[in-house]
Amino acid sequence: MIFASSSSVYGNNSNVPFSVNDKTDHPVSLYAATKKSNEVMAHAYSSLFGIPVTGLRFFTVYGPWGRPDMAYFSFTKNILEGKQIKIFNNGELYRDFTYIDDIIDGICKLITIIPERNQIKCIAGYRLFNIGNNSPVKLTDFIESLERVIGKKAIKEYAEHQLGDVLTTCADIDDLNKLTGFSPRTNLKDGLTKFYEWYKNYYGIYGQRK
């Protein structure tokens, strides 16, 4: 079984990039707490029922068919409609933005690699990996890149830190790279361009910059 966890389990970890060996006992949001619980339950199922399990901690996934409530998605909508976008912590946030195709590539590479059984503990295999871009981008730089792709400036509203937000995310992907050869290939400009082309087609927006 392969399941999705999240970089949010690291909370405000000061060790950057985040390693799967770092402690994840201090989530700062309920979302993070549910993801940590998910990992613990998956481990229990692996132990109880002999199910080999691989967990992937996703790092800020973006791209076509994303959730409309995600920041990059709502930013695009508001920029096009001439509405304000809210930028928390005055833009002093860093995210390891990872394009969806790279995430899928990493998942596919792991499908045939089954975790080995732990003979000492007599349980089925259980492993965790980070899957991210390993290259954090400042939020304000991300917005500037999105503005260039859309061809329109955002109306910005700067706000204080939002409860539950972490300041930085960055994935240590060495383990995944060594095991599968995984290496993200999509830079931010190309990823946002692909997303915007999809967005225009999906919502029937014409006459915008290509």
Side-chain angles (χ1 to χ4, degrees):
M1 183 179 76
I2 297 176
F3 73 94
S5 185
S6 168
S7 62
S8 65
V9 300
Y10 292 106
N12 279 314
N13 186 6
S14 60
N15 296 321
V16 178
F18 299 162
S19 166
V20 291
N21 297 314
D22 293 337
K23 289 186 176 181
T24 55
D25 299 331
H26 303 287
V28 296
S29 68
L30 290 176
Y31 173 78
T34 65
K35 287 298 186 181
K36 176 63 177 179
S37 299
N38 189 30
E39 292 181 358
V40 175
M41 287 189 290
H43 188 279
Y45 268 84
S46 175
S47 176
L48 288 170
F49 304 112
I51 304 171
V53 171
T54 298
L56 290 170
R57 290 172 175 170
F58 290 1
F59 279 69
T60 316
V61 185
Y62 74 100
W65 301 101
R67 291 190 351 238
D69 62 308
M70 294 291 285
Y72 74 94
F73 211 113
S74 63
F75 285 171
T76 299
K77 182 176 185 293
N78 285 359
I79 290 172
L80 288 171
E81 294 178 358
K83 297 178 181 178
Q84 282 187 337
I85 64 171
K86 184 171 285 189
I87 304 172
F88 289 103
N89 207 48
N90 296 307
E92 293 296 323
L93 298 169
Y94 292 80
R95 291 292 181 268
D96 200 356
F97 293 100
T98 312
Y99 189 65
I100 182 61
D101 286 5
D102 291 329
I103 293 288
I104 292 170
D105 178 57
I107 294 171
C108 290
K109 288 179 183 299
L110 282 166
I111 288 174
T112 58
I113 302 176
I114 299 173
E116 295 182 0
R117 182 181 180 87
N118 187 319
Q119 298 296 337
I120 297 175
K121 296 182 180 180
C122 297
I123 61 173
Y126 176 90
R127 289 193 72 172
L128 288 170
F129 293 98
N130 289 329
I131 182 165
N133 205 42
N134 189 230
S135 182
V137 175
K138 190 175 181 180
L139 180 58
T140 50
D141 293 338
F142 177 86
I143 293 169
E144 288 176 4
S145 295
L146 183 60
E147 289 173 326
R148 285 193 291 270
V149 167
I150 295 174
K152 186 176 181 180
K153 286 287 187 180
I155 303 171
K156 304 178 180 73
E157 176 191 354
Y158 291 92
E160 296 300 315
H161 181 72
Q162 181 177 226
L163 285 177
D165 268 357
V166 299
L167 299 178
T168 300
T169 65
C170 179
D172 179 343
I173 57 174
D174 284 352
D175 289 348
L176 187 58
N177 174 264
K178 290 174 183 176
L179 183 65
T180 69
F182 170 80
S183 181
R185 295 172 294 181
T186 310
N187 62 47
L188 186 62
K189 178 184 176 182
D190 290 345
L192 286 176
T193 299
K194 291 176 182 178
F195 163 71
Y196 185 51
E197 289 302 312
W198 169 86
Y199 187 96
K200 288 189 297 182
N201 289 329
Y202 185 80
Y203 288 102
I205 297 172
Y206 305 103
Q208 300 290 342
R209 176 183 171 184
K210 292 185 178 180

